[in-house]
Each structure stands twice: as structure tokens, then as C-alpha cells.
Amino acid sequence: MSRFIIKSIPFKTRIALDEERPVLACDQTRASKILAGIQPHGPGAFHSKNKDERKKVSDVTIEGIDVTDSAVLYSVPVGLGQPPTAYSLLIDISNANTWIGVSKTYSSTSTTSTKNTPYEIYYANGAVAGTELQNKLTPDLLDFDQITLGGNLVAKKQSLGVASSAIGFSDVDGVLGLGPIDLASVPEIISPVTENLYNAGVIPTISLGMSYLPNAGTLANGDITLGATDTAKFTGSINYVPITVVEPSNKYWGIDADVTYGEDPDLPLLRLSAGVVDVSTTLILIASDAFRVYQRATGAEEDPITGLLTVTPEQFVQMENLFVTIGSETYELTPSAQIWPRTLNEIIGGEKDKIYLVVADMGSPSGEGLDFI
């Protein structure tokens, strides 16, 4: 049996915001879709037998939850073909389709096999809730080629879309779909990268981990690890808990947790509440009633420009820790962990020296099956 060598693949971070896409609105839009149960992509969704039912659109007008919803985007370098040509692809864990063709022309190599299978992918643009902005990708071909990640992870005969038109994507060459096979546009043909690597024995399990470097004055970069946990990226042991049984959180990476502000046991924000762990949500969102308790406890005021809470330097010194209990473990967020990096204030439309909090209003009350993200 071959020994698997862990290699973390570096990714770059880009904040995709403007006046029409403030960070809070992006996250609240995404939360409203999760609350509506749109496009489940958690462990429970992997085993769904009814693809049409999983893709059913509820009362929200935007159809999908995908990489274009996020206020923060992550891109990773990949090599296609042999010899490999370098491309920069967006990481999308809620989609299984990998495609290129935005800014760099695809060139066939000795490992290319063309199937001439047309297909389409529809992306929601992540605009304000209620505004339907769908981006349509219409590839000419569904090719198979070799894809190389991080130098030592090689997926042979990887399904690959080659776009003839792509709307709403910039600064990248396409998308790297790392979601489950059920989320592929043509699941009978498309094999996601993670499943392809696993079936070939390149990785021992279908898993994905992301780690982030502390901010040092620029956009934080990080690493993505496929097929294992990289012990160099954490201390202690990993805490495993069951997926919550509460809908709709159980359709995603949903967990049960308690959230408390400060040492006062009589000041809980959420108790035995269901929520979702979501890498594409930027802020810490909590239900509106819990948010109001947090706002009163911190003395924070809402900033009219960003919509985020702000505190004065004097209030920041007096802030207490935020405790999140998941299973048998309690995780502590110090006051510094509850604020937006001040070096990035202007990117979100804020003032350079203001203190903005990352705990924000989800826009819906507790008790509806999604109390936090």
C-alpha cells in the first residue's frame, strides 16, 4: 500500500465587495438561502436519492448557493495537461463542476480526451435578496484531462468544462468544484476532483480542510488540504460531533452549539441551537434576538455605512470573550477575535481607525432551524 504524503495547497484570498455588495448583505443573502433549504451540500445531502427535490427552489428568488454568493473568494493554482499549463481557479465546495475559459484559452495536450458533451451551469450572483441575477456558463465541450494540485496530487482523466462564454467571473480562469458528485451538472459523466483522487488511491479519504494564516496587514492567505488532516495546521485534537437533526441546518454542515457572551451564565445568546459551519460566509451571523442581546452587552452601535456594529476604543477594552460550546468542547473568542481586521476597514467601506465587530445579525429569529453561521 502506498504511503500518502500530505501536501497543503496554497490559496489566495480576494474580497469581492463594492457598494452594491456589502459584506453583511452578501452574508445575509446566503443565510436566507440556507434557511430556505436551497441546494443542500452537507453530508445528509450526499445521500439524497431525489436530485430534483434537492434542487427545488423555495420562496427565495435566487436559485443556487455557490461561490458567487460569497463576499470573500479563494483561488488556487492548478496545472492542466501534460506538460501542465498553469491556471488560477476559484474554490467552490458547494459545486462539483470544474471548468476553465474565463481569461486563458484552454490548450489540448497529450492527456486530453474530448467527449464533445455540451452542458450548462447556472450561478447565482449573490446580490441583495429579492434581486434575481443569474449568471449563465455555456461550455462547448466536456473534456477529460489531467489536473495537478500542489505538485503531488494528480487526478488523471478529470472531467473538465471548457467555456465558450462566462459571465460574472473576473481575475480567475475558472472554477475548481470540490463538492460532492450529487452537485455535478451531469453526474452521469462528471467525477468531482476529490472523488477522482480517492478512486485512484491518491488520497485515502474524501475530505477537505482549509486553514487561514493570521492577518498581517494584507489579505490573509491560507492552505487547503485534500484527503487528510494536516497536523501542522492545528494544536491539540480535532473535536468531532454529529450533524444536527434540526432542519434546515441538517442539510448542510450543521451542528448544535451554545453561544455565550462573557462569564455570566445568565447571559446566554443561544442555547442548544442548530446552525451551520460555512466557509463561504465571512462574518459570524447569529439570530436577530441573540444579536440584540450581544449588542446591548457590548454597547455597540450600528454603523450606517457597513451595517456592522462598531465600538469605541474604551468599549473595546471592556469587551468580554465570546464562548461557543460544540459537543464537549468550548471555544473562546477573545475581543480581538470578534473584530474585523482594522487594516482591511477601507475594503468594506469603513473608516480606517474604526473598530467593527464581526458578530452580525442574520436577519431572522432563533428557533427556525438556523440560529447561527
Side-chain angles (χ1 to χ4, degrees), residues 62-279:
I62 303 176
E63 289 187 358
I65 300 177
D66 54 66
V67 68
T68 62
D69 283 312
S70 181
V72 179
L73 305 176
Y74 309 100
S75 60
V76 63
V78 304
L80 293 178
Q82 185 60 41
T85 300
Y87 296 86
S88 176
L89 303 184
L90 285 180
I91 298 171
D92 190 357
I93 64 171
S94 55
N95 198 302
N97 301 285
T98 296
W99 58 269
I100 62 169
V102 176
S103 56
K104 182 180 289 187
T105 303
Y106 174 65
S107 299
S108 299
T109 69
S110 60
T111 56
T112 303
S113 174
T114 301
K115 295 297 183 181
N116 292 317
T117 304
Y119 76 111
E120 296 181 343
I121 308 170
Y122 294 88
Y123 288 92
N125 199 33
V128 178
T131 302
E132 185 173 3
L133 296 175
Q134 289 187 324
N135 293 333
K136 182 178 180 182
L137 163 72
T138 310
D140 281 334
L141 310 172
L142 181 62
D143 291 344
F144 290 80
D145 209 338
Q146 178 172 300
I147 182 169
T148 303
L149 299 165
N152 73 326
L153 294 179
V154 179
K156 298 181 179 180
K157 295 184 179 180
Q158 176 61 46
S159 53
L160 176 70
V162 180
S164 60
S165 65
I167 304 171
F169 294 89
S170 61
D171 301 323
V172 292
D173 300 314
V175 170
L176 177 66
L178 297 177
I181 192 169
D182 282 356
L183 297 179
S185 59
V186 191
E188 298 81 8
I189 299 175
I190 291 176
S191 176
V193 173
T194 48
E195 187 162 316
N196 196 357
L197 289 169
Y198 172 74
N199 290 336
V202 179
I203 59 176
T205 185
I206 299 177
S207 66
L208 179 151
M210 297 183 72
S211 62
Y212 305 86
L213 299 176
N215 183 268
T218 58
L219 293 185
N221 290 343
D223 298 282
I224 184 170
T225 304
L226 300 178
T229 55
D230 188 349
T231 55
K233 303 298 181 184
F234 62 92
T235 58
S237 59
I238 295 179
N239 178 29
Y240 293 92
V241 295
I243 295 296
T244 182
V245 298
V246 179
E247 294 187 2
S249 292
N250 64 347
K251 299 178 181 179
Y252 306 88
W253 293 96
I255 58 174
D256 296 313
D258 292 341
V259 183
T260 304
Y261 179 76
E263 301 286 353
D264 186 353
D266 295 324
L267 193 62
L269 302 181
L270 297 167
R271 281 201 185 280
L272 294 177
S273 297
V276 168
V277 178
D278 182 39
V279 70

